[in-house]
Amino acid sequence: VSVLGVDQVTSVNGSFTLSYSDSNNIALPSSPVNAGTYNVTVDFTSNDANYLSTSITSTITILPAAANVQILNATNLQYGLPYNGMPQGISAVGTDLNGATLPGYFTYSYAIFDQSSYYPTVTPLPGAPVDASGYNYYIYYVGTATFTSLDLNYTTGISSVDYIITPAFVNVNIN
């Protein structure tokens, strides 16, 4: 905060007091840290007899941060999972700016991405993939984790990972 004299260049000597209130005009004990819109009042006490003391009120808005979404099994997925006959999905965690787990919930979606032809296609799946996609890196699965935060200081976060399910080895027995 600064105060300029009539020339709009020279600073006016004095002191400031800042106070904050919420959107209902309820005074806050200190500067706000949570997402939301706040009133800020600046009281200026002039130490220069040529200038009057003054007060001004304005609003500030603190926007929510995006939640960080980390897919927990991403390293294993990128190297391929062996076919096991079961759905092989992703799992994730939503964290704040300090890495602490946020309250909220996930929705997961899956698709087959096929870029083996000139026109790639994406086919949504009803759930986590089961079948082997082979060793063909032109056809793979995409898992997407969408996190909805219950902490109002954070917005929705999204992360995706590409992966394959490799064919299983067969057991051949000679009797």
Side-chain angles (χ1 to χ4, degrees):
V1 176
S2 63
V3 177
L4 301 177
V6 294
D7 64 1
Q8 296 297 308
V9 175
T10 306
S11 294
V12 177
N13 190 15
S15 60
F16 298 96
T17 304
L18 279 73
S19 58
Y20 302 91
S21 62
D22 65 16
S23 57
N24 296 317
N25 286 322
I26 297 172
L28 300 175
S30 60
S31 58
V33 294
N34 292 316
T37 299
Y38 301 91
N39 300 310
V40 58
T41 300
V42 179
D43 294 313
F44 174 72
T45 304
S46 177
N47 292 338
D48 186 329
N50 292 313
Y51 294 96
L52 298 173
S53 297
T54 190
S55 180
I56 187 171
T57 299
S58 187
T59 59
I60 60 171
T61 300
I62 300 174
L63 299 174
N68 296 315
V69 176
Q70 178 185 6
I71 296 178
L72 298 175
N73 53 344
T75 301
N76 293 340
L77 292 169
Q78 290 173 344
Y79 291 108
L81 300 172
Y83 172 77
N84 65 8
M86 303 294 294
Q88 299 199 55
I90 59 175
S91 61
V93 63
T95 60
D96 66 14
L97 296 173
N98 297 316
T101 301
L102 287 169
Y105 59 91
F106 279 94
T107 54
Y108 296 98
S109 60
Y110 300 92
I112 298 173
F113 188 80
D114 183 347
Q115 59 182 9
S116 61
S117 69
Y118 185 74
Y119 298 104
T121 60
V122 177
T123 306
L125 296 172
V130 175
D131 295 332
S133 52
Y135 291 103
N136 181 349
Y137 288 98
Y138 294 108
I139 300 173
Y140 52 89
Y141 296 112
V142 178
T144 301
T146 302
F147 177 73
T148 301
S149 176
L150 297 178
D151 182 331
L152 298 179
N153 288 314
Y154 291 88
T155 61
T156 297
I158 299 173
S159 185
S160 294
V161 65
D162 303 339
Y163 64 104
I164 62 170
I165 297 175
T166 58
F169 290 99
V170 296
N171 291 322
V172 177
N173 295 318
I174 300 175
N175 295 335

